[in-house]
Amino acid sequence: MIDVLNELGYLAGASRFRRISEKLQQDGDKIYSDAHIQFKASWFPVYYVLAKSHSAQTILEITRQIDFSHITVKNILQELNSNALVRIEPNPNDKRSKLVSLTKKGRELQDKLEPLWLLFSNTLKDVFSIGHPDIINILNRLDRQINSFPINERILKPKETFIRIIDYKPSLKKHFQELAGPWLLQVLNGKLEDDDAFTLNNPDKAYLKNGGFLFYAKYKRDVVGCVALKRLDDDTFEFAKLFINPKFRKLGIATRLIERCISRCMENEAKELWLQTTMSMPQAHKLYYKLGFNDKEAPTQMDVLERTEKVMCLKL
């Protein structure tokens, strides 16, 4: 049988997501049915919000927490209400809205559902990892991009104006020194540490030769950012020499480069991603914390630079 959606490629992107979603929900419904639990996979996000809430929620509050459309949430609540799992009451503080909470039956059902959810989570992790080990973060990035820059606006913007993250190739070697060199010289008052002098001029030998990676950010034809991913051992990486051309900062490029590092680490089944920094970069620290890094003592396999004042780690 011909798969029309597959033939359409990117044009059928939303349709492919819907098809996958429908298949997952159908399988989920079968699992609930086999466990003799009266529940539907499509109810999960709304039910979960209510199960974890300490007080009744308005429909608007539920909608905001899962970012579904108002009509979708309302329809799910009607089904939950028909099955006596939720209670929908007038809001004494706002006649225009309703308050929703789980009934006693709904609360009791939670004890049966949670063991199944754990099985779902572990199984879906295995399934999604077939697409990519970092699939959840990839979906998060797609979600953010679509929200901040909708498709209907994006379609009118020339493709070459987008930021692209690419892997190292020989023609890009010179850009590593051009981007990070001047910044490091300024930070170190014109005197590079031995490690810096070597890596800036020989990024391929310093990182690629030992199983690491180099990534660059491009805008139109210009290389505007770079980062190195250094392999410390089979299970551990460190990212270094993250630099963005000042003219192109505040565009989310640093986040994009670090996210590429995280994805590559997960592709390589790494367990930890480390970084070294100084106390003079508080804005960078905010970004690192936001991405999940925490302060840690340097591991024995890390070569700590003289200027390093702070070491951080992300558990993968």
Side-chain angles (χ1 to χ4, degrees):
M1 182 177 68
I2 297 176
D3 187 342
V4 175
L5 296 187
N6 191 47
E7 288 184 345
L8 291 173
Y10 290 109
L11 182 60
S15 300
R16 292 292 291 273
F17 279 126
R18 178 169 182 170
R19 185 166 75 181
I20 291 170
S21 176
E22 288 183 351
K23 287 179 179 178
L24 291 174
Q25 290 195 350
Q26 288 169 6
D27 290 345
D29 288 346
K30 189 174 188 307
I31 292 171
Y32 289 125
S33 176
D34 291 345
H36 305 291
I37 296 176
Q38 189 176 355
F39 196 80
K40 292 173 64 176
S42 60
W43 297 349
F44 171 75
V46 172
Y47 178 90
Y48 184 83
V49 168
L50 294 171
K52 297 302 179 182
S53 299
H54 298 296
S55 60
Q57 302 284 300
T58 65
I59 296 177
L60 181 59
E61 287 171 334
I62 298 171
T63 300
R64 286 174 174 170
Q65 290 181 69
I66 61 177
D67 202 17
F68 280 17
S69 69
H70 185 274
I71 189 62
T72 297
V73 172
K74 192 172 182 180
N75 288 339
I76 292 173
L77 285 173
Q78 287 176 350
E79 292 185 26
L80 288 169
N81 188 45
S82 297
N83 285 270
L85 297 176
V86 300
R87 181 184 301 104
I88 303 176
E89 301 174 308
N91 185 350
N93 299 319
D94 186 352
K95 295 182 179 180
R96 297 169 299 176
S97 67
K98 303 285 186 180
L99 288 176
V100 186
S101 59
L102 292 182
T103 60
K104 181 181 178 182
K105 178 182 176 181
R107 287 287 177 192
E108 291 173 347
L109 184 61
Q110 185 178 348
D111 292 334
K112 298 179 181 179
L113 290 171
E114 289 188 339
L116 275 182
W117 290 345
L118 181 59
L119 292 174
F120 275 148
S121 179
N122 292 333
T123 303
L124 288 173
K125 179 181 179 181
D126 292 337
V127 172
F128 287 168
S129 292
I130 294 171
H132 194 281
D134 196 31
I135 188 67
I136 295 300
N137 285 325
I138 290 173
L139 290 175
N140 287 338
R141 296 197 284 272
L142 285 173
D143 213 353
R144 290 199 303 268
Q145 283 291 314
I146 292 171
N147 281 328
S148 63
F149 193 1
I151 298 297
N152 61 304
E153 296 177 13
R154 187 181 293 261
I155 200 170
L156 302 175
K157 191 169 183 178
K159 184 178 179 181
E160 63 270 15
T161 61
F162 299 145
I163 298 294
R164 289 160 291 145
I165 307 300
I166 61 174
D167 280 67
Y168 171 87
K169 53 185 177 181
S171 62
L172 295 173
K173 179 178 178 179
K174 63 179 182 179
H175 295 289
F176 196 76
Q177 198 281 334
E178 291 175 353
L179 283 166
W183 170 73
L184 270 178
L185 284 169
Q186 182 179 0
V187 170
L188 300 175
N189 297 318
K191 186 178 181 180
L192 295 175
E193 294 186 34
D194 291 341
D195 178 81
D196 294 320
F198 178 76
T199 57
L200 285 174
N201 292 293
N202 304 280
D204 49 347
K205 295 179 181 178
Y207 300 109
L208 304 183
K209 186 178 178 180
N210 297 313
F213 304 92
L214 290 163
F215 305 112
Y216 295 84
K218 290 191 73 176
Y219 177 78
K220 295 185 178 180
R221 295 185 178 183
D222 297 323
V223 178
V224 299
C226 64
V227 69
L229 186 58
K230 180 180 180 181
R231 183 181 288 276
L232 300 182
D233 59 31
D234 282 355
D235 299 320
T236 314
F237 284 90
E238 172 192 353
F239 84 75
K241 304 296 188 295
L242 173 66
F243 184 79
I244 313 300
N245 184 320
K247 296 179 181 178
F248 298 90
R249 288 178 182 168
K250 297 185 178 181
L251 295 178
I253 300 174
T255 300
R256 295 272 305 274
L257 285 168
I258 297 172
E259 287 174 339
R260 177 62 65 87
C261 288
I262 294 172
S263 287
R264 189 58 54 86
C265 284
M266 297 190 74
E267 288 171 0
N268 282 266
E269 298 182 339
K271 297 177 181 178
E272 296 175 337
L273 176 59
W274 293 80
L275 66 90
Q276 303 181 47
T277 184
T278 65
M279 300 308 293
S280 63
M281 304 173 67
Q283 291 303 315
H285 298 168
K286 289 182 180 179
L287 173 59
Y288 302 151
Y289 287 129
K290 181 179 178 181
L291 292 173
F293 286 85
N294 291 297
D295 297 348
K296 295 284 185 181
E297 293 293 327
T300 55
Q301 65 269 41
M302 176 185 281
D303 294 324
V304 180
L305 300 169
E306 290 182 12
R307 66 176 178 276
T308 296
E309 298 173 316
K310 187 182 185 73
V311 174
M312 304 179 75
C313 177
L314 173 68
K315 296 287 185 179
L316 301 171

